[in-house]
Amino acid sequence: MNSASKKAILVVSFGTSYENTRKVTIDAIERDIADAFPACPTYRAWTSKMIISKLKKRDGIIINTVKEAMEQMLRDGITDVVVQPTHVINGIENDQMKADALSFKDQFASIVFGNPLLTTENDNQAVVKAVADEFQDMDSMTALVLMGHGTEHVANELYPEMDGLFKHFGYSNMHMGTVEGDFSIESFLDELKELHPAHIHLAPFMIVAGDHATNDMSGEDDDSWKSILEREGYSVTCTLKGLGEIQAIRDIFIRHTKMGLDKLS
């Protein structure tokens, strides 16, 4: 790489309209990455145009799309970019993000991508440990039910794989489902009945505890996971804490960013 090169990191998130969770998840990931690589300016982009539009209209906050962030970096004289997603899986959002960034490939010396959270077997095992450590004080009569986002993308298979991985490492009281895709709460209700837990604890398996966690998981509507489980006779509590609040999860994103920067070197 020549001496005139100028590297930067673009952290790409889906986004959230919930300020409280944004501060302790997306903002925290960006801050940790910026602190880990102080020689590289860090930029932000979100992929949800609906959320970007909502924040602009409601709060007057301007968030760049991936293309707008790439244009900003060009104006700032950036030559080499590491695009680091905060996505959980390499699904539809990640595919679109790559396409948007690579539409600028002729205008930068290099564009490389860091991995989403769940990419390698080591990643998956590190996430299992991070989540298990987060809920280590949970008693044996409580079942932890994690709500993933889910997708129609083939990457949705990662969610049942993670469910199996929790069991593999001895966490038989930890269960995974998704709010979208074909791995819904109905897929493990029978398994819960066999376990007879005294209590169920719900938590999001998503970077932010936003709309899905607030409404689909812990809301009072009849079709929320909390309501469904209560109708089944369970005592239910909810944790509105996104994965991005867990330091061990943020550390995985730092490692993935480092791998991206190493590709530039």
Side-chain angles (χ1 to χ4, degrees):
M1 191 176 289
N2 66 59
S3 58
S5 66
K6 190 175 177 185
K7 301 180 196 176
I9 299 163
L10 174 61
V11 183
V12 179
S13 303
F14 179 79
T16 180
S17 61
Y18 289 71
E19 182 183 18
N20 289 344
T21 190
R22 188 202 75 224
K23 287 179 177 176
V24 292
T25 57
I26 294 173
D27 291 2
I29 294 167
E30 291 171 350
R31 185 175 59 248
D32 282 6
I33 288 174
D35 289 347
F37 309 104
C40 295
T42 301
Y43 293 77
R44 159 188 283 180
W46 288 4
T47 57
S48 173
K49 292 182 174 63
M50 189 183 303
I51 293 174
I52 289 171
S53 176
K54 182 174 182 177
L55 281 196
K56 182 178 180 181
K57 186 175 180 181
R58 187 189 71 188
D59 305 326
I61 296 174
I62 307 297
I63 307 281
N64 282 335
T65 63
V66 171
K67 288 187 175 182
E68 288 166 346
M70 300 296 282
E71 288 163 355
Q72 181 63 56
M73 286 188 285
L74 278 176
R75 290 194 294 272
D76 293 347
I78 301 300
T79 59
D80 300 86
V81 183
V82 174
V83 183
Q84 177 56 54
T86 69
H87 302 143
V88 173
I89 62 172
N90 193 353
I92 295 165
E93 292 293 324
N94 214 64
D95 288 347
Q96 185 58 54
M97 174 273 291
K98 286 183 175 179
D100 288 347
L102 288 174
S103 67
F104 290 82
K105 66 180 184 295
D106 295 335
Q107 293 164 271
F108 289 89
S110 56
I111 300 171
V112 301
F113 297 94
N115 289 331
L117 182 65
L118 300 176
T119 301
T120 68
E121 190 59 32
N122 283 342
D123 293 336
N124 300 352
Q125 292 181 18
V127 170
V128 165
K129 184 177 188 310
V131 172
D133 287 350
E134 180 67 25
F135 293 96
Q136 61 184 332
D137 295 333
M138 202 175 67
D139 67 73
S140 60
M141 293 304 294
T142 297
L144 176 68
V145 173
L146 298 161
M147 175 190 268
H149 188 282
T151 176
E152 299 305 321
H153 193 283
V154 65
N156 200 62
E157 288 303 312
L158 265 168
Y159 292 106
E161 280 180 30
M162 289 298 289
D163 181 73
L165 209 53
F166 279 109
K167 277 47 169 203
H168 174 76
F169 284 104
Y171 305 111
S172 58
N173 61 334
M174 295 188 181
H175 310 271
M176 175 87 70
T178 59
V179 66
E180 296 177 12
D182 56 4
F183 194 47
S184 68
I185 187 170
E186 282 77 16
S187 64
F188 57 82
L189 280 178
D190 288 344
E191 187 180 347
L192 282 177
K193 286 173 187 171
E194 289 176 19
L195 288 168
H196 305 296
H199 187 77
I200 290 182
H201 195 98
L202 286 172
F205 190 79
M206 306 177 198
I207 298 302
V208 304
D211 192 54
H212 286 305
T214 303
N215 297 310
D216 299 313
M217 186 187 84
S218 60
E220 297 303 323
D221 288 351
D222 288 347
D223 59 352
S224 76
W225 283 22
K226 178 174 178 281
S227 295
I228 290 168
L229 290 166
E230 285 176 342
R231 280 199 303 277
E232 293 286 333
Y234 297 109
S235 157
V236 182
T237 55
C238 303
T239 293
L240 289 176
K241 183 173 184 178
L243 293 176
E245 293 188 50
I246 302 172
Q247 185 64 57
I249 297 291
R250 299 202 297 273
D251 289 345
I252 294 171
F253 286 122
I254 292 171
R255 290 199 294 274
H256 288 181
T257 305
K258 171 78 163 57
M259 289 165 64
L261 283 166
D262 288 347
K263 293 178 192 174
L264 294 180
S265 303

